[in-house]
Amino acid sequence: MKQKIQNEQRAFRFKRFARKSYSAFNSMHKVVSIGVVTGCILTFAHANDVIAQTSVDAHHPLTEEKELEEVVVTASRTEMPIELVARTVTVITRSEIAQAPAQSVQDLLKHISGIDVRQRGPNGVQSDISLRGGTSDQTAILLNGINLTNPQTGHYSFDIPINLSDIERIEIIQGPASLVYGASAFSGGINIITRKHPDEIIHADIQGGMHQLGGAEAGGALLFQSSTHQLSAGYHSSGGYMENSDSKIFSSLWQSRFLTEESAIDFQVGFNDKKYGATTFYSGAYPDQYDNTQSLFAAIKGKTNGKIKFIPQLYWNRHWDCFKLFRDGTPDIPSWYTGANNHRSDVFGFNLNAQYTWKGGISNLGGEFRNEGIFSNVLGKPMEKPYGEYTHSDNRSNISYFLDHSFLWKKITAGLGVLAYYQTSVRENFNFFPNFNIAYQASGSLKFHASWNTAMRMPTFTDLYYKDKAQIGNPALLPEKSSAYEIGANYRNRFLRISLAGFYLQGRDVIDWVKKPEDPLYQAQNLSKLDKKGIESQITMDWGAVLPVMHKTRLNFSYTYINQSQDVKNLESNYALDYLKHKFTAQLTHPLFKNVTVDWQFRWQDRMGKYTRYVNLQKESEVAYLPYSILDLKIDWQLKDFISIYVSASNLFDVAYHDLGNVPQPGFWALGGVRIVWRGPNS
């Protein structure tokens, strides 16, 4: 297989594929090389539309081979280099995380145009994260491929034991992704990948700022010939930017990796603890709300080498929540208040993937058992005998089987698969969710892709059972289902990257909390039809590739447009109907002078929908969300190889805005910090 190579092209060969005999692609008897324009960076900021395989003649006189470390993503059941995956993937890289003016994963995600981040509390306190106009319950959240989506409510899905210094990259799949991430990936999934090969033996980060903000992160690694062990811990606190918005957050994560010639085993265990004032989080009538959440997580994953790989995975995640409508010390607590809502949810799962590599491609066959349970004093079915403070409970099991095949043929990369899913709480047979993705590499610079993906999501325990003075759950809720179509194109050369995608998502029996204007309570209901149409676009310019004087200068623009239609009119919505119609982001990274780098992050967004405004704790009227613009900034000064100083500021122009209900968002907020690293005696 040969292709004419233009004068300006070179062939880049991945180290893993070239050197390891057990490589999937070596087993397919294929030379995996990517034809790219000179100087083009394989992975770059924000959305990376993946490129299909292009074969090149390694003996061509104009071809220069250069070995690169490949970036492998999990956008299919087969781990592949991002250039070979046949669907659109968004990747936030480690270097981008270090440059960004962000204090949490949620802060990183709000600068991606296709993601809606509705913050209740800043700096990682609590946010609802959704994709392509969905809700937070419709987004699967994963840590190293393990689905940690909270079955109680999507509000808590980011209560995970992770510090920014732990993260290697973040992968985002837009659109239904049940085959890859499980049934909860109704509108997409976010997979946080931690560092497996640390280059720092010890690191520490200390920071302080406005509103009594303070924090510290520290970590260390033990590196041996056949194993790696890492421990990190972080603590951040704030007095709050308004009354009852104080917070204290602690996260710790231990990771161990054991390697042999035949296999690899990864073990991880983590703990997360959050305490925060939740002023008006769930109702503008109660400004003294308070929440304390904890999560404990453990997982072990194995992977064998060879033509047939077996990938078993065992995981467990426990989440506690104590929510108080009136925090301790609040004066004049009304007599009708009976005390805190206490919950404990448990998720336990085991899955096995058997992967077979042959000349026709890579085939995956496997299954997963996942159990979700809750103990509570408000959620679930009444128990005959209380269990400690818990008087209610519920439990359900999910069983799924999947078959997936990926193949590469000349300029075409394609994937075809199906997920069979059974839920014990639904009296139905197996549901089947197929998908098909294909990409065509028209030239070394231009790629086209198309996809069709389906998914399903079960109602959360909050959807089913929650009840208070303002809202009521619905035990008769049906699962919601989605089917999405997407077409797109991507162009790239050494200076310019352009991507454009259009999508159409059909939602059926979509779950939302709604009411008619005359109704007193919001209720969880199935909306029979909720469809979304939209476009996503991005332009990235690497000025250093064409102007050496602008070395390390990159400019990125992205825009997402969504239009939503439903067959139910005149409903007030808490979530699904309050979607982002427009979102525009811009990022500029450039050197200021020697060893000083500046990163600017701008976003403008316009949300559909309304919320009930409260003034002096009294309900007034329904008001529409207003569009707003926010500019963030970070300046980083690398003094030595082992020490750097940074200053970061969010909302530079002190804009007043609302993302969700009556929760005012922070104005101007500045902080500074010092980061120290030690890479070992040979660094």
Side-chain angles (χ1 to χ4, degrees), residues 564-576:
Q564 186 171 277
S565 61
Q566 69 275 351
D567 60 356
V568 181
K569 306 297 182 181
N570 300 319
L571 286 179
E572 297 176 7
S573 166
N574 270 351
Y575 302 108

Side-chain angles (χ1 to χ4, degrees), residues 243-516:
E243 186 71 23
N244 194 36
S245 63
D246 56 304
S247 62
K248 297 177 181 178
I249 303 175
F250 172 80
S251 287
S252 182
L253 180 67
W254 172 272
Q255 301 179 88
S256 289
R257 163 166 280 204
F258 302 91
L259 298 173
T260 69
E261 287 294 326
E262 294 79 24
S263 63
I265 298 176
D266 289 296
F267 173 76
Q268 51 190 328
V269 59
F271 176 73
N272 176 264
D273 183 20
K274 295 182 179 180
K275 299 179 177 68
Y276 50 89
T279 181
T280 67
F281 270 25
Y282 305 107
S283 171
Y286 304 103
D288 298 311
Q289 301 168 58
Y290 188 80
D291 212 350
N292 180 14
T293 69
Q294 294 178 322
S295 62
L296 182 61
F297 161 73
I300 185 169
K301 177 182 179 180
K303 184 175 183 179
T304 64
N305 299 325
K307 192 171 184 178
I308 300 180
K309 294 181 174 67
F310 292 97
I311 309 171
Q313 190 168 257
L314 180 69
Y315 62 91
W316 169 69
N317 186 47
R318 173 169 289 180
H319 185 274
W320 295 269
D321 163 46
C322 177
F323 173 75
K324 300 177 181 180
L325 194 61
F326 302 94
R327 71 183 295 170
D328 295 344
T330 300
D332 302 322
I333 296 178
S335 58
W336 53 260
Y337 180 61
T338 57
N341 292 344
N342 293 285
H343 316 93
R344 193 195 86 186
S345 61
D346 286 273
V347 176
F348 166 81
F350 172 77
N351 59 60
L352 176 64
N353 180 16
Q355 186 178 105
Y356 176 62
T357 303
W358 52 297
K359 291 184 179 181
I362 303 174
S363 300
N364 292 270
L365 174 65
E368 178 176 19
F369 173 82
R370 177 184 173 94
N371 183 264
E372 300 172 343
I374 191 168
F375 289 101
S376 172
N377 62 345
V378 290
L379 300 179
K381 303 170 184 177
M383 302 167 62
E384 292 183 3
K385 182 179 179 180
Y387 175 53
E389 61 192 343
Y390 305 122
T391 57
H392 295 67
S393 68
D394 198 7
N395 190 277
R396 62 196 186 192
S397 295
N398 314 319
I399 302 170
S400 61
Y401 301 96
F402 60 84
L403 176 63
D404 174 76
H405 181 73
S406 300
F407 67 91
L408 297 84
W409 181 72
K410 294 184 178 181
K411 298 183 177 183
I412 295 175
T413 303
L416 177 66
V418 63
L419 177 80
Y421 179 79
Y422 176 76
Q423 228 286 343
T424 57
S425 63
V426 180
R427 295 182 179 179
E428 295 181 1
N429 295 321
F430 274 90
N431 286 274
F432 293 90
F433 300 95
N435 75 55
F436 177 68
N437 307 287
I438 187 169
Y440 173 69
Q441 190 71 36
S443 68
S445 300
L446 182 62
K447 184 202 76 172
F448 298 97
H449 73 271
S451 67
W452 171 56
N453 293 277
T454 59
M456 183 182 84
R457 182 185 77 85
M458 294 298 300
T460 65
F461 292 125
T462 298
D463 292 332
L464 295 170
Y465 299 115
Y466 191 73
K467 182 179 180 180
D468 63 17
K469 288 182 172 293
Q471 50 202 1
I472 183 171
N474 183 357
L477 286 173
L478 300 172
E480 54 184 5
K481 299 178 181 180
S482 63
S483 177
Y485 307 86
E486 179 181 329
I487 58 172
N490 175 271
Y491 174 83
R492 57 186 285 174
N493 61 32
R494 63 180 182 142
F495 164 65
L496 185 66
R497 288 184 173 220
I498 303 175
S499 65
L500 179 65
F503 62 88
Y504 173 49
L505 187 147
Q506 296 174 313
R508 297 296 178 265
D509 295 324
V510 174
I511 299 169
D512 192 19
W513 292 76
V514 296
K515 74 180 187 71
K516 295 180 180 179

Side-chain angles (χ1 to χ4, degrees), residues 106 109 116-121 124-131 134-142 147-160 184-185 187-188 190 274 276 281-282 291 293 317 319 321 343 345 347 370 372 374 379 396 457-464 466 480 511 513 575 660:
Q106 296 92 315
L109 296 175
D116 184 7
V117 179
R118 307 184 72 180
Q119 288 194 141
R120 286 189 170 89
V125 167
Q126 191 188 105
S127 299
D128 291 353
I129 312 293
S130 58
L131 305 174
T135 68
S136 61
D137 291 326
Q138 296 171 347
T139 302
I141 308 300
L142 299 94
N147 193 332
L148 299 183
T149 306
N150 193 297
Q152 177 187 334
T153 172
H155 303 325
Y156 296 142
S157 285
F158 272 88
D159 290 351
I160 53 180
S184 57
S187 59
I190 299 171
K274 295 182 179 180
Y276 50 89
F281 270 25
Y282 305 107
D291 212 350
T293 69
N317 186 47
H319 185 274
D321 163 46
H343 316 93
S345 61
V347 176
R370 177 184 173 94
E372 300 172 343
I374 191 168
L379 300 179
R396 62 196 186 192
R457 182 185 77 85
M458 294 298 300
T460 65
F461 292 125
T462 298
D463 292 332
L464 295 170
Y466 191 73
E480 54 184 5
I511 299 169
W513 292 76
Y575 302 108
L660 185 62

Side-chain angles (χ1 to χ4, degrees), residues 20-38:
K20 295 184 179 179
S21 61
Y22 59 79
S23 161
F25 295 94
N26 283 349
S27 301
M28 291 168 62
H29 306 289
K30 293 180 181 289
V31 175
V32 180
S33 302
I34 308 296
V36 296
V37 178
T38 303

